[in-house]
Amino acid sequence: RASKNHEQCVYHLGRAHILSQYKWFHHFYVHFLMFEYSWSRKDWKESWAQFIRLSATVPGHMFKRLPKGNTGWSNVGLTQELSLPKEFSNL
């Protein structure tokens, strides 16, 4: 984020989201970072989407409704599964 490289921030936060889905607190924290990042960019649509996803994180874990491979950004549906990146094939 400090480098102001938007593409890298989106890429790395998306990867962090995939990895974080196995622990509710880490998952929640990554969505918080995504919210904070989108807010800092004044991207209100993404900020709202991250607020919704923050609200859905704990219930998603309670009911085991976590779509694998989902990067957590608003351009991917809340329950949409994606194929896992090759480097995460052991998950």
Side-chain angles (χ1 to χ4, degrees), residues 47-63:
S47 296
W48 177 249
Q50 291 307 319
F51 177 78
I52 297 298
R53 288 166 188 250
L54 275 166
S55 303
T57 299
V58 173
H61 279 268
M62 288 172 57
F63 297 108

Side-chain angles (χ1 to χ4, degrees), residues 67-87:
K68 286 192 177 191
N70 188 306
T71 59
W73 294 106
S74 65
N75 63 337
V76 178
L78 189 64
T79 60
Q80 182 180 352
E81 287 202 8
L82 300 173
S83 54
L84 286 171
K86 288 179 190 173
E87 63 267 28

Side-chain angles (χ1 to χ4, degrees), residues 30-54:
V30 170
H31 276 298
F32 174 77
L33 293 174
M34 292 171 138
F35 172 80
E36 183 182 54
Y37 180 68
S38 59
W39 187 270
S40 74
R41 291 182 49 84
K42 296 179 175 55
D43 184 345
W44 310 128
K45 178 184 172 275
E46 187 66 47
S47 296
W48 177 249
Q50 291 307 319
F51 177 78
I52 297 298
R53 288 166 188 250
L54 275 166

